[in-house]
Amino acid sequence: MAEPSSKPNTTVFAPWTDPNAVPLIRFKNVTKRFGDFTAIDDLTLDIYEREFFALLGPSGCGKTTMMRMLAGFENPTDGTIEIGGQDMTGVPPNLRAVNMMFQSYALFPHLSVFDNIAFGLKRSDMPKTEIPDRVNEMLRLTRLEKFAKRKPHQISGGQRQRVALARSLAKAPKLLLLDEPLGALDKKLREETQFELMDIQEKTGTTFVIVTHDQEEAMTVASRVAVMDAGIIKQVDTPAAIYEAPNSVYVADFIGDVNLIEGTASASGEHAYDITYAEGVPPIKVSECTQDVAEGARVTFAIRPEKILVSQTPPEDRANTLEGTIIDIGYLGNLSTYHVELPGGQMVKATMTNSSRISRRDFTWEDKVWLSFRASAGVVLGE
Amino acid sequence: MKRAALILLPYSWLIALFLIPFVIVIKISLSDIALAIPPYTPNLDLSQGWAGIKAFFAQLDFDNFRFLTTDDLYWKAYLSSLRIAVVSTLLTLCVAYPLAYGMARAPDEWRPTLMMLVILPFWSSFLIRVYSWKAILANEGLLNQFLMLIGVIDTPLTILNTNTAVYIGIVYTYLPFMVLPLYSALEKLDGSLLEAAEDLGCTRFQAFWLITFPLSRNGIIAGCFLVFIPVMGEFVIPELLGGSQTLMIGKVLWEEFFSNRDWPVASAVAVLLLAILVVPIVLFQRNEEKQREAEG
Amino acid sequence: MRRLSWFNATSLTLGFAFLYMPMIILVVYSFNESRLVTVWAGFSTKWYGELFRNEAFLDAAWVTLRVAVFSSTLATILGTAAAYVLVRGGKFFGKTLFSGMIYAPLVMPDVILGLSLLLLFIAVGLDRGMLTIILAHTTFAMCYVAVVVSSRLVSFDRSLEEAALDLGCTPWDAFRSVTLPIIAPAVISGWLLGFTLSLDDLVIASFASGPSSTTLPIKIFSAVRLGVSPEINALSSILIGFVTIGVITFSISTKRAVVRRQREENAVT
């Protein structure tokens, strides 16, 4: 069973921060229109070599269109796409150093596993004598040696997925595109495969671009995630940055759970603001803000549920303490989620791990509790 | 560009061998008979240039069409063909529907075999199958022998060389064309719809009439087109099984062409028949396109 | 297993009896010693012998066979191209006309098709013979092939073709290596359909043939116009026999393939 490869974290992989690094893929003001419908709107993006890059967004946001333009199945209406410094306009799919792993796997039903993997190699410059060795190497990489002679309908769904992966990696492409590769797998297999994919990506040094609507998947595998909505990229960042420092309500809301409280901002110090959200209660103190906010502007304060502590008495060491009533409790085994109503009527969600085993819980419905969190625990968002 | 070549290949073939021939038929229908080879005038003589073309068009006329309207034979034949086509389409529908329905309700394991049994006659020679009815329907034929043997009749029934034989022949020959689209439509029917209907109070027959029959409409329409349109111009069946009373326009066209050697009149007959069939053919094509797009 | 109601069982029995009775009768009477259908004079194969000694029939059969093979092969190529254009061609100038020209011959009465083609051959000065029959048969057969193949193409998974392109195929290579092998059963059915239609055609061949190129249906027709002929019974039985063996073999092999595949798929899940 695959496990995440342990490597000493001496150098952090972050070519996007290096001013000298040359991106492998460049989208330059790319627009794609289908008739009246604009799928991609003036999009500019750089993706670097060896990245495991995720395009994340709901159905219809344009992520699949971006992928198909990289593969060569669609051409941009405006703008250019460069791969390896070469303008790809008009270059057909069969002449690109790009390979794709299809959502439905698209395995050729009339060919064996071996012949499926060899298919692309037979149409490349590789000498015929070297092809079987390469195919066997791919079979070993994806642990499919025993199934080489079988046809796609004679193997299971998870095995088919690995054949699709092996086939798409056989030509050692500069760029591998993965279209919702794990959607058809059950949860346990999906988790195993996620780590396998990361392993293979590192071993082969290929640049992966994955398209998915599953934010957990994107967060797990990707080095950077681009959150998309309606043809526009909202934010491109590492998973940690996306989660802890979203730049908009859309991104904050799309990834994981978040509490959104609207209020008015007033400056209270360097990179610090007070957010007034209700009458008669102290404002929320926010520090370490990365954005500048105008005095008196309407803002949304976003804080993740796990950053909020629920206690029966107000703690001394937290900057923010709010009083509330427990309306609902969700018990999930490892976590409990508390839905707490504030005096102003806002609902706040707080999660805490159930770190003790005793069956008698501290809190129950209708309890009056104190929510507390640090000043740096949340972010202020413009819209 | 490769794509243009791919489109042009079948396209130009059909234009040359389907469309242009029709244009020629129209031209001949406007010509006059002549004792010459070919047996019609005028002929387009391009060596005369524009004068030749003008002379050509000047000699075309609608005489043949006027002739068709004056002689009783023709409009009677058109009407008779129409009547026979409509009646035999309905008869074929009535015979095919129970068969297709039975096939659709049969257990799954039987279905491929049943399909095979329906298709097998279709693959066998149509000419031979029509011919076989001559042996059966003749006065001394097997049907009469059988009926006399069991005592139902005393003297042989005259069936061969009457319109009845033509109807039997048409229904027999065109049955697979009606059964297959019907079966295809009925097979797609969800059995739970009928169960729901019965659960809500319908009898078996009501459930059939209110649910199954309307939902098989596509199959009925497709099947009717596949029978009606070709039967309008049918030649072999009326020739082999019908009598001198059997007036069908296909026979008339054949005789005009081969017996009378009057190509212009034969062409006029064809043009008129085509004019009558244009609307059904276009409707048929539209229906097929719609079906194909619905499945795609 | 669902039971058939008595109504359905009766419909099926009567329907198939109606379909098959005439053919069975033909076969039975082809072995009749007597020339007449009215009298059974004992078992005899003499009509089969007469048939094989009939030069005219054998020549016609040979012509018919060659015409059928050439025209259905040509029709399959043209029809498959037409199907591809219909399903994948997108919008192009004159598509409605093209589509109309594909579907119209399917229902057009033979007499109209035959007459129009003959007039074309005369107009361009083409002598009537085997070539003209082949041209005529190819024309209507390609439409049948187009309909059969396009129906298969419509449900064909396009991502397979995209995968082929992605892995380095040119569009023609993708068609040849991936699409064609997978739609092969439909293409073969199209060929068989064209073959049968050609073998069986009377009206169009009558218009399009010349003095030296009589086809078997034309010969049969002139023989049976006057009445029952025992050699024709024998010929019919042979044809029916071929078709039956062909269809049964095809059905059995398809069924076996389907069963085998089911078993393989069940073994995996």
Side-chain angles (χ1 to χ4, degrees), chain B residues 10-296:
Chain B
Y11 209 133
S12 43
W13 182 285
L14 285 174
I15 299 236
L17 279 139
F18 182 75
L19 207 58
I20 294 191
F22 280 160
V23 173
I24 297 179
V25 173
I26 294 176
K27 178 262 171 189
I28 306 282
S29 70
L30 300 169
S31 316
D32 301 312
I33 189 170
L35 270 131
I37 292 173
Y40 54 79
T41 69
N43 284 309
L44 184 59
D45 192 2
L46 286 170
S47 62
Q48 300 270 16
W50 184 244
I53 294 177
K54 282 217 305 213
F56 171 77
F57 275 105
Q59 289 184 44
L60 297 177
D61 52 48
F62 287 95
D63 278 352
N64 296 316
F65 288 100
R66 248 173 268 140
F67 175 62
L68 290 186
T69 53
T70 53
D71 192 326
D72 261 8
L73 169 69
Y74 298 99
W75 67 260
K76 277 198 186 139
Y78 282 113
L79 237 55
S80 163
S81 304
L82 196 59
R83 185 169 46 90
I84 293 180
V86 169
V87 171
S88 44
T89 305
L90 289 173
L91 283 176
T92 315
L93 182 61
C94 292
V95 174
Y97 205 100
L99 184 55
Y101 189 78
M103 279 171 68
R105 306 288 282 168
D108 284 338
E109 315 86 72
W110 290 12
R111 301 264 184 96
T113 318
L114 291 176
M115 266 295 263
M116 185 198 84
L117 286 177
V118 170
I119 291 185
L120 203 156
F122 165 72
W123 291 105
S124 330
S125 170
F126 144 89
L127 187 55
I128 282 170
R129 288 186 296 131
V130 172
Y131 155 73
S132 62
W133 282 97
K134 268 178 112 80
I136 300 174
L137 297 175
N139 280 355
E140 338 72 58
L142 287 165
L143 181 65
N144 278 316
Q145 282 189 36
F146 174 70
L147 289 175
M148 288 206 287
L149 192 69
I150 62 172
V152 173
I153 51 170
D154 290 325
T155 52
L157 296 171
T158 312
I159 306 179
L160 191 59
N161 299 325
T162 65
N163 280 4
T164 315
V166 174
Y167 285 125
I168 295 177
I170 292 177
V171 171
Y172 180 71
T173 322
Y174 284 86
L175 198 59
F177 289 98
M178 184 68 87
V179 168
L180 288 175
L182 274 179
Y183 169 71
S184 172
L186 285 170
E187 195 221 358
K188 295 196 180 96
L189 206 63
D190 188 354
S192 59
L193 291 174
L194 294 173
E195 288 174 1
E198 284 179 43
D199 180 69
L200 292 164
C202 285
T203 61
R204 291 276 288 270
F205 180 73
Q206 281 174 322
F208 166 79
W209 189 245
L210 296 171
I211 312 268
T212 311
F213 193 73
L215 286 176
S216 63
R217 211 178 37 154
N218 281 332
I220 298 177
I221 293 174
C224 287
F225 275 129
L226 286 173
V227 176
F228 174 78
I229 301 176
V231 168
M232 270 291 286
E234 183 58 53
F235 164 72
V236 175
I237 299 174
E239 177 69 23
L240 287 182
L241 297 177
S244 43
Q245 319 304 73
T246 315
L247 267 182
M248 284 201 78
I249 203 68
K251 256 176 73 169
V252 169
L253 201 161
W254 180 283
E255 269 151 30
E256 276 312 330
F257 192 87
F258 286 112
S259 311
N260 296 354
R261 307 230 93 227
D262 192 342
W263 292 18
V265 168
S267 303
V269 170
V271 170
L272 216 47
L273 178 59
L274 197 53
I276 295 173
L277 289 177
V278 153
V279 171
I281 289 178
V282 168
L283 288 177
F284 166 72
Q285 185 234 326
R286 289 248 186 94
N287 190 47
E288 290 300 302
E289 287 256 320
K290 213 171 30 149
Q291 290 289 83
R292 204 186 57 225
E293 263 158 44
E295 282 165 37

Side-chain angles (χ1 to χ4, degrees), chain A residues 68 71 73 93-94 98-100 102 104 106-110 119-120 123 153-156 167 171, chain C residues 157 159-171 173 176-178 181-182 261 264-265 268:
Chain A
R68 286 176 67 86
F73 296 121
N94 49 314
V98 180
N99 284 129
M100 186 155 146
F102 288 77
S104 63
L107 298 183
F108 304 129
H110 60 298
F119 189 86
R123 283 149 184 87
H153 68 275
Q154 292 168 313
I155 55 179
S156 73
R167 184 178 74 177
K171 290 174 90 168
Chain C
D157 183 2
S159 66
L160 289 173
E161 283 176 359
E162 286 185 347
L165 291 175
D166 178 69
L167 289 164
C169 289
T170 59
D173 191 9
R176 197 179 40 89
S177 325
V178 174
I182 297 178
R261 190 172 173 114
E264 282 169 356
E265 283 178 12
V268 172

